[in-house]
Amino acid sequence: MELINFLSKPSDFSRRTGPNDKIVLSSRVRLARNIRGFAFPGFAKKAERVRAFEVLRPAIEATAAMADRFAGSMDTLDALDKQILVERHLISREHAAKGPGSGIVFNHQEILCVMINEEDHLRMQAIYPGLQLKKAFAAIDALDSDLESRLDYAVSKDLGYLTACPTNLGTGIRVSAMLHLPGLVLAEQINPIIQSVNKLGLAVRGLYGEGTEALGNIFQVSNQMTLGESETDIVARLDKVLAQIIEHEENGRQSLLEKKPKVLFNHIGRAYGVLSNAYSISSKETMNLLSLLRLGHDLGFLPGVERALVDELSIVTQPAHLRKKFSDELQPEERDLLRADMLRERLAGVPRPQCKALGDDASLDKPQE
Amino acid sequence: MELINFLSKPSDFSRRTGPNDKIVLSSRVRLARNIRGFAFPGFAKKAERVRAFEVLRPAIEATAAMADRFAGSMDTLDALDKQILVERHLISREHAAKGPGSGIVFNHQEILCVMINEEDHLRMQAIYPGLQLKKAFAAIDALDSDLESRLDYAVSKDLGYLTACPTNLGTGIRVSAMLHLPGLVLAEQINPIIQSVNKLGLAVRGLYGEGTEALGNIFQVSNQMTLGESETDIVARLDKVLAQIIEHEENGRQSLLEKKPKVLFNHIGRAYGVLSNAYSISSKETMNLLSLLRLGHDLGFLPGVERALVDELSIVTQPAHLRKKFSDELQPEERDLLRADMLRERLAGVPRPQCKALGDDASLDKPQE
C-alpha cells in the first residue's frame, strides 16, 4: 500500500480494543535517541540534518519490526498529509512543520512510528489501544535494541542517553496514556485529580500534548522524570497511578448515575440531539459532544451505536481529514457544514439514547436530586 | 365549569387558527375605562376600591357577552392560579400582585377579559388568533357599549375617556398584535424594523408587555397614542404597519432559505435535537427553541408536527403551568427536569426535521453560502 492511499482511508486504530478501553484510549511509550558525530537537529545546519537523515532512515527500514512500513521525508509530504499524521497522533505538530532532513517511518499497523530529526535524531513510539503500557514498552524496546545494533547512539556512562533537552536525558523515555475522563469532568473532580497526579511527578496534558487543550474530556498522563529511575520502574509507576485514575473515573461515573442521573442524561441526550441534527458544527464542539456520546455508549444508553463509530468520527471529522476527503481548499465554515453532514449521515440510524437511572426505571417520571 | 378546572387544563387558544397565523400569533384590542365618583385604583384606599369592585363586577357579569364567564376577586385566587392567568395573557403581571378590591371576569372562550381595578377601574380586552384586529375591536366595542349603558363612565367632553395614566387618555385604546419574527431575528434585520416601527409612533415590546424580553422571537407591536385619532383610524393604521412587517418577515424567511439555508437548518435542527433529547431545560431556552421549531413547521420541514402542538408546549411548559400540573412546591431545578420530560414525551413521535434547500435537493450534499 502507498502512503497516499493509507492517508486517504480512515485509520483502523479506532476499531481495535484493549484492556480498560472504556477509559484508556491508548498507551504509548516513546524513546528519544541521538547518534554520535551529528549535532542535535535544532543546532545542525540543513546539510548536516540531511546527512543524518541518510544514515538514520535506512537503519530504521532495515529493522525487523519495520518490515511492512511507510516512510517519507517531510519535504516530500504535502502540508495536508502532514496534518493527517498529526490528527492520527503519529507525528507532533512541530514535526509537521519540518522540511528536508526530517522524516517519518511507521509500520502498517500504526503501532510503531519513528520521527527522524524532530527535537532529537530519533523519536520512536509504540502505541496500543487500551491500557497496555508494558506491551508498548516491550515493542519499542525491541525496536530500540535492533536500532542500537545498527547505529552509534550518543550515550554517557554517567548520564545515560544524551538528548537535546535535559528533561529527556537518561532513559529518554516518555510513557503516557490518553485517558477519557468525562465522569471526573462532569462531577467537577478533575482538578483535584490533576493536582494529585502532578504531585506524583507526572504531567497531565491535553489531546495533542504539551500546552494543548483537553478537548473532548481527553487527558494525556505521562512521566516527567527520565533520569535516576529505570524504564521498567517508570512504566510500573505510571501503571499504578493509571489504575487509580481509572478507579476514580469509574466511581465518578457511578456516582453521577446514582446521585445526579438527570444531569448526566441531559449531557448525553443533548450531545446526541445536536450531533444528529446540526447542519453546521465546529471541530471543537464535535470533539466535546462525541466524548459525551462515548460516555453514553459506555453506560449502556446507546445500544444502537458502537464505540468504534464514535472513535472513528472523532478522527474523520478533524479539519485535515475533511480537507483530504473533500477538498484541500475548504474554508473553516465549509468544513463545519460538511462535518455536520457527515455526523448526521453516520448517526441517522442511531436511535435516541435510552437513559435510565440505576435500578429504578420509575425515577425517570419524577424529579431527581 | 369552575375556574379551578379551567386553570387545570391546557387553554385551547393554541388550537385556534386565524389569518396570517404563521406570523401573527394573536390580535388584541384593550380599552381603559373609569367610572365617576371613585378615585383611580392607585389613589383609592382599600375600602373605596372594594366599593368600586362591588359596582363593577355585577355590571360586567350582566353583559350579554359575559353570559358564560369565569369571575373572581384577586384575593380569592391563589398566587399560582394568578400566574397561570399571566402565562395565558389574560391578566398583567401587575394585576397578579393585587388583592381585595381587584378582580377579573373573562368569558369561557378566553376572547373577552376584563381586569377590575388594575391601573384603571376597567381594563377590558378582546383577543383573537391571527391577524384580526377589526374583529377584536368590534368585540370589545360591543362589550364597552353594553357596559357604558350600565355604568357612569368618567368622560370629558374635551379629553375623552379619563384614565389613570395620561398615555391612555382619550380613546383609552391599545391595539396590539403578538408577532413571531424568527426570520427577521435570524437575518439580523429585526433592529432596523423595530426602529422604523417606532418612528411611526408604534411601540415594540417583548412577550409579556412593557419592559419584558423578546423571548422566543415574539414581539408585541402596539399604538402609543390614544388621543386625537379615532379608534378605527388607530386599528387601520396598525393593520397597515402589520401588513408590512408580515411582508418583511416572509421576505426574511425566504431570503434565508435561498441564501443561507444551512444556517437556517442548523438553527431548526439543533432546536429539534435539544428539545427532544434534553433531560433538563429552562423556560427561557424552551421558548427560544420552540420558536425555531414553529419556524421549521411553517417552512414545511417538520411534517410530523402540528403548529398547535408547538404553541401548546410554549404555554404548558411555563413555570406556573408546571407547578399547577405537578406540585406548587416545585423548585426551579425540578421544573427544568419535568419540563424536559414533558418535551421529550410530546416530541417522541416527531421525526427529524427534513430540511431541504429551495428547488435544489442536491445542495444538501455540497457546501452552501
Side-chain angles (χ1 to χ4, degrees), chain B residues 156-222:
Chain B
S156 142
K157 215 197 252 175
D158 295 331
L159 297 170
Y161 293 107
L162 301 179
T163 54
C165 176
T167 58
N168 291 306
L169 196 63
T171 53
I173 198 171
R174 174 134 300 146
V175 185
S176 66
M178 203 75 93
L179 306 176
H180 185 226
L181 305 176
L184 290 172
V185 172
L186 292 179
E188 294 174 6
Q189 290 166 13
I190 191 71
N191 286 332
I193 296 283
I194 290 179
Q195 282 161 21
S196 309
V197 172
N198 285 339
K199 278 183 193 151
L200 295 168
L202 301 176
V204 183
R205 301 189 172 95
L207 183 57
Y208 290 104
E210 209 159 337
T212 65
E213 211 180 341
L215 276 178
N217 303 313
I218 294 172
F219 297 84
Q220 197 190 92
V221 176
S222 63

Side-chain angles (χ1 to χ4, degrees), chain B residues 46-290:
Chain B
K46 182 177 154 187
E48 188 175 8
R49 282 205 310 277
V50 171
R51 273 196 298 120
F53 181 73
E54 282 163 5
V55 170
L56 295 165
R57 178 176 168 167
I60 302 161
E61 292 186 325
T63 60
M66 289 294 193
D68 294 320
R69 68 187 171 265
F70 300 110
S73 161
M74 295 318 276
D75 56 333
T76 61
L77 283 169
D78 71 22
L80 179 56
D81 289 337
K82 292 182 195 178
Q83 284 308 314
I84 296 267
L85 294 171
V86 171
E87 289 177 359
R88 295 195 190 176
H89 298 283
L90 287 167
I91 65 172
S92 63
R93 289 182 175 182
E94 292 71 23
H95 203 51
K98 297 260 158 54
S102 289
I104 180 175
V105 183
F106 62 99
N107 72 351
H108 285 181
Q109 292 74 42
E110 291 176 75
I111 287 172
L112 293 169
C113 179
V114 185
M115 288 187 284
I116 303 168
N117 282 330
E118 200 240 24
E119 186 180 294
D120 294 295
H121 292 139
L122 297 172
R123 285 281 181 110
M124 54 186 109
Q125 73 172 26
I127 186 162
Y128 279 87
L131 183 56
Q132 307 198 67
L133 289 178
K134 287 195 188 79
K135 197 165 173 182
F137 177 64
I140 206 66
D141 193 38
L143 176 64
D144 182 46
S145 301
D146 196 343
L147 274 175
E148 196 154 19
S149 71
R150 298 165 194 278
L151 294 166
D152 187 14
Y153 277 175
V155 198
S156 142
K157 215 197 252 175
D158 295 331
L159 297 170
Y161 293 107
L162 301 179
T163 54
C165 176
T167 58
N168 291 306
L169 196 63
T171 53
I173 198 171
R174 174 134 300 146
V175 185
S176 66
M178 203 75 93
L179 306 176
H180 185 226
L181 305 176
L184 290 172
V185 172
L186 292 179
E188 294 174 6
Q189 290 166 13
I190 191 71
N191 286 332
I193 296 283
I194 290 179
Q195 282 161 21
S196 309
V197 172
N198 285 339
K199 278 183 193 151
L200 295 168
L202 301 176
V204 183
R205 301 189 172 95
L207 183 57
Y208 290 104
E210 209 159 337
T212 65
E213 211 180 341
L215 276 178
N217 303 313
I218 294 172
F219 297 84
Q220 197 190 92
V221 176
S222 63
N223 65 308
Q224 302 251 45
M225 302 288 289
T226 54
L227 199 62
E229 205 177 5
S230 76
E231 289 88 341
T232 48
D233 284 352
I234 292 172
V235 169
R237 195 154 62 87
L238 204 71
D239 248 337
K240 205 168 140 188
V241 174
L242 289 175
Q244 286 172 7
I245 300 177
I246 291 169
E247 196 182 327
H248 281 295
E249 171 64 18
E250 281 169 347
N251 290 343
R253 294 182 185 189
Q254 194 70 9
S255 150
L256 282 169
L257 211 45
E258 282 166 18
K259 294 181 193 149
K260 297 184 175 181
K262 293 264 182 156
V263 171
L264 187 63
F265 301 168
N266 194 38
H267 281 288
I268 295 167
R270 284 170 177 258
Y272 165 87
V274 170
L275 286 169
S276 49
N277 289 289
Y279 281 78
S280 174
I281 190 165
S282 72
S283 172
K284 187 172 167 177
E285 185 180 7
T286 301
M287 289 298 291
N288 289 331
L289 298 184
L290 283 174

